Amino acid sequence: MMNIPGYEIQNQCWQDEGTVTHRGVHLETYARVLIKLPRSGLGEMSRLDQEYEIACSLDSNAVVRPLRKERYQQSSALIFEDDGSKPLAEVIAREPMTLDANLEIAIGIARALGTVHQQRVLHRNLTLDSIWINPRSHAVRLTGFYLARRMAYDGQLLYTEGRLEGPISYMSPEQTGRTSRGLDFRSDYYSLGVLLYRLLTGRLPFDASDPMDLVHCHLAKRPQAPASLDPDIPTVVSDLVMILLSKNPEERYQSLGGLRADLEECLAQWRTHRTLAAIVLRKRDISEFFRVSKKLYGRETDVADLLSAYERCARGAGELVLVSGDPGIGKSVLVNEVQKPITQSRGVFISGKFDQYKRNVPYASIIQAFQQLVRQILGGTDAEVALWKERLTTALCANAAVITEVIPEIELLMGPQEPVPDLPPADARNRFNRLFRDFINVFAKNDRPLVVFLDDLQWADLASLSLLLLLLKDQDTPHVLVIGAYRDTEVSASHPLAMTMDELRTSGVSLIDLKLGPL
């Protein structure tokens, strides 16, 4: 039973990915209010608390600010004034929108988002449900700040999500966490492009029921231009939307001021002439931040070598590629450059990093990489999680506890596991190695090759090197590519890594060592 002291909760008005909103009445003042609650099963206590904190801190009339926060069960409820505003999804469902109206809304969204970005907040949740329209004043305001993040002073958010978080249909390629880039304000520009595409065409750029298929579309596929779907959409407006939907942030608009200027020029011409001609887009599109390009120069041959190794892995060859060089030469940057094309081809890219102060912790970097993979899976749908649970149960049988003891996150997929019998050390090691091979084969398939990037191999523990040696020599673990980066100045002929490399070569395992020199 929904109950918040002092309020009568009435009918549900709408819901989005993480919240549900009801109409209600404040029992003391009889004021009509909107009450936003966490959706059942999704109620992370911090989500609405975060929306309250960020929305209240923003100094802008273009933000829907909560009146107050109330305690609701084990989470929070947000109380908003009910001024008649409705989500854009409800507005466009009631009546067809003209081009004039769509351009006005687009200008309003760009203006509202600009005030948020000026206060260094990245929204990350722009959808038809997070845009509220007042039917009388036509004012556009933003809500749904429960995924928002505060940005650094250079407009950068220097992390990538380990799991999908947010509405996937509106998600920028970099927000999927499957590229080597952090987020900046241009991620919201991509989401705005999806919004405008939906307004103009009545459909989303990509239509896929499976979340991973949607992620692949955002990373690799170019949507049909709006003008090709509806000839009544002017070409210049279609081009503007396609600029926002560019995969590379450098190819999108670089400022909301530049976008607004183009939208306002389109609206003025359309109202005057009912046609759009001779409009040159991006004339006033000047970035508000100094940004260093993320493009990698001078390593084209090395990138090609890594991608060739990946293609061989997809055909069934297990392989090890080592990237060596001095500290700071760009080893990690080089490997991260291939993450996006690997993900675009439906490969799975995970990474871990060895620590010189944790060399006594067995498998530390390998565990870190597979924890990342588990988080990606848990970000999928219930059906996908159930499928992975079934596959892991079939592969590991009654011995799953051997893996969950090392990677506890696996229990989030499989549930608690029965303890396994104790064995002498050599037998226990053999059992672990066999089960870990079976565990990896659950994820490494010909249609989804597995790429494991292990950084700072010069600090790898002996257990990790032994496991890598076993896996790469074993012909029963195809479709696995291991990429390792190490400082060759710290690896002598007697170093465990050098000895492991020698044994792999002797065993006939394909091993490529890319030595990076200065640019």
Side-chain angles (χ1 to χ4, degrees), residues 295-324:
K295 182 175 174 60
L296 181 64
Y297 293 93
R299 302 292 190 201
E300 293 79 8
T301 301
D302 301 305
V303 169
D305 288 341
L306 287 172
L307 292 177
S308 296
Y310 170 72
E311 290 168 4
R312 292 191 294 273
C313 163
R315 294 194 294 267
E319 194 163 320
L320 172 64
V321 178
L322 294 174
V323 181
S324 61

Side-chain angles (χ1 to χ4, degrees), residues 150-441:
R150 298 193 182 278
M151 308 291 286
Y153 281 95
D154 60 354
Q156 297 286 318
L157 189 63
L158 298 178
Y159 77 93
T160 307
E161 298 289 350
R163 62 188 176 96
L164 293 174
E165 187 177 34
I168 301 177
S169 295
Y170 293 81
M171 193 175 284
S172 70
E174 57 271 25
Q175 193 177 339
T176 67
R178 272 66 172 178
T179 72
S180 59
R181 308 182 67 115
L183 302 183
D184 60 35
F185 293 131
R186 294 170 296 184
S187 178
D188 279 347
Y189 299 0
Y190 183 94
S191 302
L192 177 52
V194 177
L195 264 170
L196 300 188
Y197 194 103
R198 174 69 177 79
L199 283 175
L200 292 166
T201 67
R203 55 184 279 188
L204 292 165
F206 304 113
D207 182 21
S209 57
D210 182 82
M212 291 302 103
D213 287 340
L214 266 179
V215 168
H216 175 71
C217 290
H218 286 305
L219 290 168
K221 290 191 176 180
R222 179 179 172 83
Q224 286 183 268
S228 70
L229 298 173
D230 182 354
D232 291 334
I233 298 173
T235 301
V236 68
V237 175
S238 178
D239 291 345
L240 180 150
V241 173
M242 294 301 286
I243 291 171
L244 289 170
L245 291 176
S246 298
K247 307 297 183 190
N248 188 340
E250 280 79 17
E251 296 172 2
R252 298 174 203 153
Y253 275 88
Q254 301 301 296
S255 70
L256 287 171
L259 173 62
R260 263 183 61 194
D262 288 348
L263 288 168
E264 288 169 350
E265 187 173 356
C266 288
L267 179 59
Q269 277 204 24
W270 184 254
R271 281 176 169 168
T272 304
H273 306 293
R274 310 313 290 177
T275 186
L276 297 178
I279 292 180
V280 178
L281 296 175
R282 307 186 70 171
K283 288 184 299 185
R284 284 164 280 185
D285 184 28
I286 301 172
S287 176
E288 298 168 353
F289 296 94
F290 172 73
R291 293 187 175 100
V292 177
S293 172
K294 302 296 182 182
K295 182 175 174 60
L296 181 64
Y297 293 93
R299 302 292 190 201
E300 293 79 8
T301 301
D302 301 305
V303 169
D305 288 341
L306 287 172
L307 292 177
S308 296
Y310 170 72
E311 290 168 4
R312 292 191 294 273
C313 163
R315 294 194 294 267
E319 194 163 320
L320 172 64
V321 178
L322 294 174
V323 181
S324 61
D326 295 336
I329 201 72
K331 301 182 292 295
S332 303
V333 172
L334 169 67
V335 178
N336 285 326
E337 184 73 8
V338 300
Q339 180 181 356
K340 183 175 179 180
I342 286 171
T343 309
Q344 286 176 335
S345 64
R346 299 184 185 274
V348 178
F349 184 100
I350 57 177
S351 62
K353 186 179 179 70
F354 288 103
D355 189 323
Q356 62 178 321
Y357 300 112
K358 295 182 180 179
R359 298 167 89 166
N360 60 333
V361 180
Y363 314 117
S365 179
I366 298 173
I367 292 169
Q368 183 184 6
F370 282 95
Q371 286 173 332
Q372 186 182 105
L373 177 57
V374 172
R375 287 195 295 269
Q376 290 182 14
I377 292 171
L378 290 171
T381 63
D382 292 341
E384 285 182 306
V385 172
L387 178 61
W388 285 113
K389 177 181 179 179
E390 179 184 345
R391 290 173 177 173
L392 286 166
T393 301
T394 302
L396 303 177
C397 301
N399 293 309
V402 173
I403 302 300
T404 59
E405 285 177 5
V406 178
I407 309 175
E409 283 81 359
I410 298 297
E411 284 200 348
L412 297 175
L413 282 173
M414 302 183 66
Q417 299 298 308
E418 292 293 328
V420 294
D422 290 332
L423 294 176
D427 292 338
R429 184 167 58 252
N430 290 335
R431 179 177 63 185
F432 174 79
N433 291 339
R434 174 176 55 83
L435 285 167
F436 200 83
R437 179 197 64 197
D438 295 339
F439 171 70
I440 284 183
N441 282 335

